[in-house]
Amino acid sequence: MALESVSHIRFRSWLWLAFFRHSIVPLLLVEALLVVAYLATNATIRSSNINYLHDTATVALAHEAEREAELIVRRLSGVETLLKVFSEQTAKALQTPYRQVPVEEQANYARNGNGVLHSIADIGGAASFYSAITPAEHQSLDKVYRLSRLDPLMKSLVEDQPLVVQSYFNSFDSYNRIYPFFDTQTQYLATLDIPSFNFYYLADSAHDPKREPVWTNTYLDPAGSGWMTSVVAPVYRGDFLEGVVGFDITMERIIHTILAIKLPWQGYALLLDNDMTMLAVPESGQRDFALPVQPQGLKKVSQETALPTAFNLNKRQDTALLARAIAAKPKGFMQMPLGGSNRMLAWARIPDNGWTLLTVVDENTLFANANGLAQRFRHVGLLMIAGLVLFYLVFFLYVHAKARRLSDSLSGPVGAIIDMVTAIKKGNYQTKAPPLPLVELQHFANGVADMGQALGETVAALEASETRVRQALENSGDVVWEYWPNNQQFLVYAHSESGQPPRSLSLRQYLDSCHIDDRQRMQEVLVQGLKTAEPFSLDYRVKNSAGDWIWLNARAQLNTPVNDPHPRVTGITTNISRRKAIESALKEARDAAEEASKAKSLFLSSVSHELKTPLHAISGFSQVLQCQVTDPAALRSVNQIVAASQHLNQLIEDLLLHVRLEKHSLSLAPTLIDLADVAGQCLAMMAPEAAKRQVVLHSELSGSLRYFGDGGRIKQVLLNLLSNAIKYNKAGGSVVVCLTYQEGNIGFEVKDTGIGIPNHSTARIFEPFERLGNANSAINGSGIGLAVSKELAELMGGYIEVSSKEGSGSTFTFWLPWTGERADEVS
Ligand code: ADP
């Protein structure tokens, strides 16, 4: 049996692998999936958190920006209202004559060498400066006096309004009245052209057609008061612009307010003027925007003081986009990198002066909590993975140890079963199953024990049977052998000494012991048997130990496939010397019988021929005498001589025919004949004899039946059957003749109502000279008729069948081979 290639694995490894594949791996997969799901959920939660925070921050920032902007708007609106009041009062003062100018007031003005009309000392009012750009003759002292009435108002405006640090009036002809008092001569250029400054022209009709208060750009106060802005409003007399009133507003408070704004997520606010210059920037903002330290120091108000470009969002490259966005929309939101990380920015415009409040939050801070939380979850996830790894390590070790214990507890019983099987293999069939803990293994062990028992019984039965066969072989004298053609060796299993090991013999040795006449044939038969694998048999002679030739018969067959590279022939050899002796004796006896038969035939034929000549003479003379003798007694004797000679003649004819048939020297002369006609002729010939014996002849033949055969011999057989049917009949009996058919044969059936034939004698009636005890009866006969008829029928390829009942008649059927159509079909 061809074994399939199987990879072997130890039970322990198999068990461990099974555990690993079917429990640990799925568990591991599930756990890994859970961890992945956990981490994915964390990531999702984090991203939703961040989105939520982002949205919240956006809303909060925008809200904060708007709220703070609103506060600033309210403050600035208050200032504007006061400025309007101041403007109205100034216009009124300019129009109202001032007749009673206090002496102290009058004494406080002087004109210096440059042509500047100025106040001399601080007498609790405002400082006054008439620029030399207006010639002295045009400088209006009256206007100066009229305006001096505004001093208390200007004072109260500055003192009551924390934002207002200076209140002033500038006239179209470069007169300046300003509170609080300072030494204008040292601060101003003598030819100061006031209308050329923005705090003047911004309120002129060209720039401010609506005559509303106008805010200037912010600037750093050259006098060291920090960030400043001015709000100015025109003072008209009719459509004539008399001048501009204004407040200088310190940004300090606003900036403080803005710097103090506490935004969530450590955010901050900053203020942009309408030129996108950053006015109030807290420290973190300065870091974010990388701002230099703000320029300080006093400067003459000879030029507009501006901040470095770094403070202007428009002029910086990194914030140009933001500046455009802010300029485009009064309220908005944006994300951009700033100071090395992403920032969220929201802004709201202050409509009064076009400032913008910008709120900034660092995304890292905003998302710090969410990121921290996610980080913590990630740590938990990593801890879980580490825990899982540790758990599986321990679990692996546990399962490994378990598999080891399990395999030990299984391999013990399995080993016991293997021991049982080994014992059975060694012939110890009566093994007992040891008690085992597992039911299935116990059943298995019991089964092995039962199998061993059954095997033992079978082996015993086989041995007994083998003993019987061996004894039978020994008794039969047969020898069993095997032959290997490849090395031309025989292995002979001796029969006589049972238990003796087989004897090895080469083909050459064996052939040498065989009769020289048989050797060639032996080899031929062997070669043929090997080629065809058919069973073969051979009789040959071998010299026995006594030196006599004995006859052996070998029957053998190739019992491997024809193309097997190691062919083997198994055979049995029988001593057939006795059979050969009997066969030879039989042959001798048969030869002798044949010789005797030949001698008998020769004798019969020569005697018949010898008898025939005198018989013809007797027959001829007696027939002549029949005609010549008139004496009735003599005629009766002559008639008897004629009848006897005819009978004898017939006998001789039959004998000669029998001899010829035995010698196979008779040949047929077939022609086309009509069988019905042949039968009719026979009936006609036998009619006188039937009448003489008072037997009714009856024919059931009709029509014609063509047949190709020897008509004379057919007639001869039929006449013999009819003659017997009449001879062995009873007076008043009948004979019926008909044609009958069966598959491939046509038969003449001759049925009589005669004496019949005993059952046990029907076979004998066809033997020559057998008359069944009628030899001495009155019925003439020689016992040769049926023998000749049978031989003739067989010569024609047919046979004779007989059925009879003693005392009630016989039926003889003469069958001939038939290939034509049936008579009734033909006729
Ligand atoms: P035989 O010359 O005696 O008739 P046969 O060979 O014709 O010789 O017949 C052999 C014997 O068979 C007969 O002697 C007779 O005893 C028996 N026999 C033959 N035909 C019949 C028959 N029709 N009825 C009874 N006996 C028969």
Side-chain angles (χ1 to χ4, degrees):
M1 188 178 70
L3 282 175
E4 282 173 32
S5 68
V6 176
S7 57
H8 297 282
I9 183 169
R10 288 187 69 81
F11 180 63
R12 184 182 295 168
S13 310
W14 174 81
L15 203 63
W16 162 241
L17 269 177
F19 269 135
F20 187 77
R21 279 198 200 123
H22 303 300
S23 60
I24 296 178
V25 169
L27 262 177
L28 205 62
L29 278 176
V30 169
E31 297 289 351
L33 277 176
L34 283 177
V35 168
V36 168
Y38 172 81
L39 292 176
T41 311
N42 276 353
T44 315
I45 289 173
R46 179 183 168 272
S47 107
S48 334
N49 241 347
I50 281 178
N51 285 342
Y52 171 74
L53 279 173
H54 187 274
D55 295 347
T56 312
T58 312
V59 172
L61 275 180
H63 177 71
E64 204 65 30
E66 283 169 35
R67 197 168 65 89
E68 293 302 325
E70 183 60 32
L71 282 176
I72 294 170
V73 164
R74 267 191 229 149
R75 286 185 178 200
L76 297 183
S77 302
V79 171
E80 283 180 9
T81 311
L82 289 176
L83 188 65
K84 280 183 188 167
V85 171
F86 182 30
S87 167
E88 282 164 16
Q89 290 303 316
T90 306
K92 212 161 146 190
L94 282 171
Q95 285 167 32
T96 312
Y98 191 24
R99 302 185 202 288
Q100 307 272 309
V101 181
V103 181
E104 195 187 7
E105 180 68 32
Q106 289 178 25
N108 200 27
Y109 297 96
R111 183 165 288 115
N112 67 13
N114 295 331
V116 173
L117 179 66
H118 59 89
S119 51
I120 299 163
D122 182 6
I123 54 169
S128 175
F129 178 88
Y130 224 136
S131 171
I133 205 162
T134 305
E137 61 273 21
H138 293 302
Q139 290 176 348
S140 169
L141 193 58
D142 177 47
K143 181 158 73 177
V144 174
Y145 290 148
R146 287 185 186 197
L147 287 169
S148 68
R149 285 178 296 183
L150 290 172
D151 284 5
L153 174 64
M154 290 169 76
K155 187 180 176 190
S156 75
L157 283 172
V158 171
E159 284 172 1
D160 296 347
Q161 281 301 313
L163 290 181
V164 179
V165 286
Q166 282 182 320
S167 58
Y168 51 82
F169 169 73
N170 291 311
S171 74
F172 66 93
D173 53 354
S174 294
Y175 171 73
N176 167 252
R177 192 169 190 90
I178 185 163
Y179 182 89
F181 179 90
F182 62 91
D183 185 8
T184 50
Q185 279 187 92
T186 54
Q187 293 292 320
Y188 296 156
L189 288 173
T191 53
L192 187 69
D193 180 15
I194 290 177
S196 67
F197 284 87
N198 68 337
F199 49 79
Y200 185 90
Y201 64 70
L202 283 176
D204 67 16
S205 59
H207 291 88
D208 184 19
K210 287 185 178 168
R211 302 181 182 182
E212 286 292 315
V214 177
W215 292 82
T216 66
N217 278 350
T218 45
Y219 55 91
L220 272 172
D221 180 24
S225 301
W227 285 99
M228 301 288 286
T229 183
S230 299
V231 56
V232 292
V235 180
Y236 282 94
R237 178 167 44 86
D239 283 335
F240 178 72
L241 181 65
E242 284 285 356
V244 171
V245 288
F247 294 147
D248 281 349
I249 306 289
T250 175
M251 298 281 297
E252 204 185 343
R253 279 176 178 270
I254 295 174
I255 286 169
H256 266 122
T257 316
I258 288 163
L259 294 182
I261 292 173
K262 287 272 175 273
L263 287 183
W265 311 296
Q266 296 171 18
Y268 60 89
L270 54 87
L271 192 61
L272 301 171
D273 71 2
N274 44 14
D275 199 24
M276 296 292 160
T277 302
M278 290 178 268
L279 302 179
V281 191
E283 256 180 57
S284 35
Q286 287 173 15
R287 273 199 304 279
D288 282 356
F289 288 92
L291 296 177
V293 179
Q294 291 178 5
Q296 296 287 340
L298 290 172
K299 278 193 189 155
K300 287 264 184 194
V301 189
S302 56
Q303 59 196 49
E304 289 185 39
T305 316
L307 280 168
T309 51
F311 282 82
N312 193 306
L313 295 186
N314 257 330
K315 294 177 182 158
R316 293 165 58 114
Q317 245 185 354
D318 57 340
T319 53
L321 209 65
L322 175 65
R324 277 207 291 282
I326 294 173
K329 282 201 281 181
K331 281 183 193 175
F333 171 81
M334 192 171 165
Q335 270 176 298
M336 63 177 283
L338 209 58
S341 63
N342 276 338
R343 310 285 155 163
M344 293 172 63
L345 304 104
W347 64 87
R349 188 104 68 241
I350 300 162
D352 302 61
N353 56 2
W355 292 350
T356 304
L357 194 86
L358 183 67
T359 49
V360 181
V361 165
D362 183 357
E363 277 192 359
N364 283 342
T365 323
L366 172 64
F367 300 138
N369 274 346
N371 281 334
L373 204 62
Q375 186 74 16
R376 269 205 298 287
F377 278 133
R378 219 178 0 259
H379 284 153
V380 172
L382 288 175
L383 272 174
M384 274 169 69
I385 292 169
L388 276 180
V389 168
L390 194 70
F391 167 76
Y392 275 105
L393 208 66
V394 174
F395 189 51
F396 279 8
L397 291 174
Y398 170 75
V399 170
H400 193 265
K402 197 81 192 159
R404 199 191 184 92
R405 271 211 299 284
L406 215 61
S407 76
D408 287 350
S409 62
L410 272 178
S411 50
V414 169
I417 293 171
I418 291 172
D419 289 347
M420 286 174 72
V421 174
T422 312
I424 291 170
K425 196 171 122 193
K426 286 181 179 163
N428 181 9
Y429 302 112
Q430 305 301 325
T431 50
K432 283 262 179 308
L436 299 174
L438 289 176
V439 178
E440 288 81 359
L441 285 181
Q442 185 67 65
H443 286 167
F444 184 29
N446 292 344
V448 170
D450 291 349
M451 186 196 74
Q453 189 99 23
L455 200 63
E457 285 164 12
T458 310
V459 167
L462 265 178
E463 280 172 355
S465 148
E466 194 191 326
T467 309
R468 278 199 299 278
V469 170
R470 197 170 55 237
Q471 280 171 354
L473 267 177
E474 282 168 12
N475 294 337
S476 72
D478 291 348
V479 173
V480 178
W481 49 267
E482 281 177 319
Y483 174 64
W484 279 270
N486 282 0
N487 53 8
Q488 300 201 325
Q489 282 286 323
F490 282 98
L491 199 61
V492 181
Y493 298 90
H495 61 81
S496 49
E497 300 97 357
S498 53
Q500 222 182 44
R503 188 162 54 94
S504 182
L505 197 66
S506 77
L507 178 65
R508 178 61 22 221
Q509 283 175 314
Y510 194 59
L511 284 176
D512 286 347
S513 68
C514 295
H515 197 283
I516 193 155
D517 294 345
D518 298 336
R519 288 176 197 168
Q520 176 73 20
R521 204 160 38 88
M522 283 173 84
Q523 292 191 70
E524 285 170 5
V525 169
L526 193 57
V527 168
Q528 186 65 16
L530 285 173
K531 206 187 288 175
T532 60
E534 294 287 323
F536 57 91
S537 169
L538 177 73
D539 294 350
Y540 59 98
R541 285 157 288 177
V542 173
K543 198 169 257 177
N544 67 6
S545 48
D548 301 324
W549 290 107
I550 56 165
W551 274 98
L552 296 180
N553 167 260
R555 295 175 303 286
Q557 189 175 13
L558 180 72
N559 64 1
T560 51
V562 177
N563 296 325
D564 195 294
H566 304 290
R568 188 182 67 229
V569 179
T570 308
I572 184 163
T573 301
T574 311
N575 189 339
I576 54 162
S577 296
R578 270 171 64 84
R579 197 188 83 198
K580 279 284 179 190
I582 291 167
E583 276 175 9
S584 139
L586 274 175
K587 188 171 178 298
E588 278 170 22
R590 193 172 59 240
D591 290 349
E594 275 173 11
E595 278 304 312
S597 169
K598 272 184 199 160
K600 179 197 81 183
S601 298
L602 192 65
F603 169 74
L604 280 177
S605 123
S606 47
V607 165
S608 301
H609 282 293
E610 285 304 318
L611 283 175
K612 246 184 157 181
T613 315
L615 199 58
H616 277 147
I618 294 168
S619 182
F621 285 123
S622 55
Q623 279 173 13
V624 171
L625 280 175
Q626 253 183 335
C627 301
Q628 293 172 353
V629 173
T630 49
D631 178 50
L635 190 60
R636 259 199 310 276
S637 299
V638 172
N639 284 343
Q640 275 178 350
I641 292 167
V642 170
S645 64
Q646 277 174 349
H647 173 66
L648 210 53
N649 197 35
Q650 182 60 45
L651 173 64
I652 287 166
E653 285 298 329
D654 284 348
L655 274 176
L656 285 172
L657 185 60
H658 172 62
V659 169
R660 283 178 73 193
L661 283 167
E662 269 195 336
K663 281 162 67 184
H664 305 294
S665 60
L666 185 77
S667 52
L668 296 171
T671 55
L672 196 61
I673 53 166
D674 183 353
L675 285 184
D677 188 33
V678 170
Q681 286 176 29
C682 292
L683 282 169
M685 281 170 73
M686 294 310 294
E689 181 65 19
K692 203 166 106 186
R693 293 188 181 261
Q694 295 172 354
V695 173
V696 179
L697 265 184
H698 185 68
S699 164
E700 290 182 357
L701 298 164
S702 63
S704 65
L705 193 62
R706 277 185 294 279
Y707 188 78
F708 187 72
D710 189 333
R713 297 300 175 195
I714 294 172
K715 201 190 276 179
Q716 201 172 350
V717 174
L718 202 52
L719 278 174
N720 190 32
L721 295 182
L722 281 171
S723 151
N724 281 350
I726 295 165
K727 268 200 296 186
Y728 301 107
N729 216 319
K730 300 166 190 166
S734 68
V735 174
V736 179
V737 180
C738 66
L739 276 169
T740 182
Y741 305 90
Q742 68 177 27
E743 191 64 26
N745 287 311
I746 184 165
F748 291 101
E749 193 178 275
V750 180
K751 194 174 186 176
D752 67 57
T753 54
I755 59 172
I757 303 158
N759 250 349
H760 58 272
S761 306
T762 45
R764 277 165 49 208
I765 56 173
F766 294 99
E767 284 168 18
F769 313 112
E770 179 58 70
R771 295 208 65 211
L772 296 187
N774 288 320
N776 301 320
S777 74
I779 305 168
N780 282 335
S782 57
I784 193 82
L786 277 182
V788 168
S789 298
K790 179 177 176 273
E791 284 162 350
L792 277 174
E794 284 170 1
L795 187 67
M796 289 185 278
Y799 61 97
I800 295 172
E801 195 176 45
V802 59
S803 73
S804 179
K805 197 172 175 196
E806 198 176 3
S808 40
S810 314
T811 303
F812 283 77
T813 314
F814 167 31
W815 290 107
L816 281 168
W818 175 251
T819 51
E821 297 136 30
R822 287 179 54 156
D824 45 3
E825 288 165 357
V826 173
S827 59

